[in-house]
Amino acid sequence: MRSEIVFRIRRQDGPQEPSYVQEFRLNYRPNLNIIACLQEIARHPVDASGKATSPPVWDCSCLEEVCGACTMLVNGVPRQSCSTLIDSLPSGPIELAPLTKFPVVRDLMVDRKPMFEALKQIHGWIPIDGTHDLGPGPRRPSDQARISYVFSRCMTCGCCMEACPNYDGKDPSQFIGPAPLGQTHYFNTNPIGAMNAGERLDAVMGRNGLTGCGNAQNCVEVCPKEIPLTDAIAQLNRQANRHWLTTLFGR
Amino acid sequence: MALTERQYFALRRLHSLSGVFPIGVFLAEHFFTNSFALHGAESYNAKVEFLTSLPYLYLIEGLGIFLPILFHLVVGVIIFREARFNNRSLNYRQNAMFALQRISGVVLIFFIAYHLAATRFGAYFGYDTSDLFALMSDKLQNPFVVAFYVIGVCSASYHLGNGLWGFAIHWGLLTGRRAQQRWSWAALALAVALAVTGLNSLLAFRPLGLEPILLFDKSASHVHAVAPAAEAGLPEMQDAHGHGAEGGEHR
Ligand code: HEM
Ligand code: SF4
Ligand code: SF4
Ligand code: FES
């Protein structure tokens, strides 16, 4: 049992500033999550040596693991700081750090915009607006809808991107990463979304697409929403290969 | 490089294909042919002679083996450089296999280079390649060479075994997580079988005076008409191990 909680927080004063680690100590109370601790530290921003400092900066919104904003590295593993309970962590010091594959805004806050750009690349929406009513959409079997629902839970938190050894983050011409591939599969298996399936498949058959995945399967291990990303990637591989082989010599 | 998006896709799929066909098929054939060494120098050298007497030899070797390996190797190094290993913080089985796939590939660069220089192109390096069995068993009296061969054989076996796992996903043959996990164990079992076959054929050259295991052989009586180590020009070792050796039934 811990009597106090020790945090080692990797901080950074601005996007271009060097990073440094600061230690903070709190009295132990049961049932704390990491955000609650960060709030307490921010109220009394004094580090472990007794020196007054600036309050650490982090991002959060929903506080119930549905928005993804509070994602950070907890002891080196990407996860949501709102749903990570102190009591579930081993008793040593707790290391907090910003995600490494997204640009740091300040301290623990990163800019996950590359994931938004990736969703634009894969056509991550269903175009239904037009000049006239198209009538009701097709019905779908409930087992398909169930699988689809799982993919719909993606909150672009970036855990899978952070964990993927082939996702670089800095260079968008490299691998696009697991989350957008999961969403490609999601929109392509929707009966209305399927009308643009070819477009989305094309979008992930380029240099930064599917071929960048090396099957480390870290993405499924860390996804807090248990999205079967590797199933999606393999399904897309199957479709992409068929598309490639059947158009090998032109159409 | 001025590859179009689609050409890059093709490049990566050809890399995947080349690992299995022809390189993987060749590796399996190579380990099997080497197993003829279990039947002694004469049997082994006869096989080597048969292979070197094949019509269109240079074409088969060049287009069927050397060029694919060179291609797979160059693209493999590019893929290797894309990875940012994170095995320490994300200690998952598949992540370890991912790293090992890349590391074994790099080990193979050095091993294949050495192996080719010492055997197929040995003549250019001043070795007598007319009696490959003698050349091999002579080299394998050096413990460092033995260690290097053991590492090389194990690397190649793992790389092909686990490679078949990645192949199944890259080609969309297995899309479900459970199926992928089952195939992963099967692929590892295949790697072990390959490694045992490869290592046993190493033993056939009597490295450091060790003996191979003769399993599932039709009969042992015809096997060593001449004491193998004597053929290899190592009479003392033969004396030390020929008598009273276990498994005397194959003498
Ligand atoms: C004995 C020689 C070799 C054999 C039999 C072999 C076989 C294979 C196979 C079957 C795959 C799986 C393909 C896939 O993932 O779809 C593979 C992947 C790979 N090989 Fe090799 N390979 C050999 C040598 C090499 C060498 C010398 C390198 C150099 C670094 C290398 C690097 C790689 C890499 C990085 C991958 C992973 C590709 C990916 O995940 O996309 N291989 N190899
Ligand atoms: S399976 Fe592919 S996408 Fe998922 S972590 Fe591994 S390399 Fe990245
Ligand atoms: S797939 Fe999972 S880990 Fe990846 S961004 Fe979506 S919710 Fe997060
Ligand atoms: S604050 Fe929304 S997921 Fe943690």
Side-chain angles (χ1 to χ4, degrees), chain A residues 76-77 101 163 165-166 168 174 202 205-207 211 213-218 220-222 230-231 234-235 237-238 240-241 243-244, chain B residues 1 3 5-6 8-10 12-13 82-84 86 89-90 92 94-95 98 102 165-166 169-177 180:
Chain A
V77 180
K101 308 230 173 142
N166 275 3
D168 170 66
Q174 281 216 15
D202 267 336
M205 280 180 71
R207 182 178 295 265
T211 51
C213 169
N215 297 327
Q217 304 209 330
N218 289 347
V220 259
E221 296 284 351
V222 298
T230 47
D231 295 22
Q235 298 264 9
N237 271 331
R238 179 183 282 183
N241 288 339
H243 184 55
W244 171 56
Chain B
M1 266 193 297
L3 284 184
E5 304 273 300
R6 198 49 60 92
Y8 185 77
F9 185 86
R12 291 293 298 261
R13 285 300 178 259
E82 281 171 9
R84 289 170 67 187
N86 51 12
S89 50
L90 300 176
Y92 309 124
Q94 227 41 265
N95 198 18
F98 167 89
R102 277 143 187 79
W165 179 78
I169 298 173
H170 281 145
W171 290 86
L173 305 177
L174 297 178
T175 57
R177 186 139 171 87
Q180 289 175 3

Side-chain angles (χ1 to χ4, degrees), chain B residues 27 30-31 34 100-101 103-116 136 140 143-161 191 194-199 201-202:
Chain B
L27 187 73
H30 190 50
F31 278 15
N34 285 344
L100 275 179
Q101 183 72 11
I103 293 163
S104 60
V106 171
V107 168
L108 282 172
I109 299 178
F110 296 100
F111 179 72
I112 293 172
Y114 166 78
H115 182 54
L116 282 177
M136 278 299 289
L140 287 173
F144 291 106
V145 175
V146 175
F148 195 37
Y149 264 93
V150 169
I151 293 171
V153 166
C154 291
S155 295
S157 303
Y158 173 80
H159 193 89
L160 178 56
L194 270 173
V196 169
T197 313
L199 292 176
S201 56
L202 273 188

Side-chain angles (χ1 to χ4, degrees), chain B residues 30-31 33-45 48 115 119 131-142 146 149 153 197-213 224 228-234 237:
Chain B
H30 190 50
F31 278 15
T33 304
N34 285 344
S35 302
F36 278 91
L38 293 169
H39 291 178
E42 221 162 284
S43 173
Y44 178 73
N45 284 339
V48 174
H115 182 54
T119 55
D131 183 352
L132 260 185
F133 189 99
L135 179 65
M136 278 299 289
S137 42
D138 193 33
K139 285 199 163 304
L140 287 173
Q141 301 315 311
N142 178 340
V146 175
Y149 264 93
V153 166
T197 313
L199 292 176
N200 202 35
S201 56
L202 273 188
L203 285 177
F205 295 103
R206 304 293 193 279
L208 315 171
L210 297 169
E211 298 267 344
I213 312 159
H224 293 138
E231 283 177 322
L234 298 157
M237 302 237 172

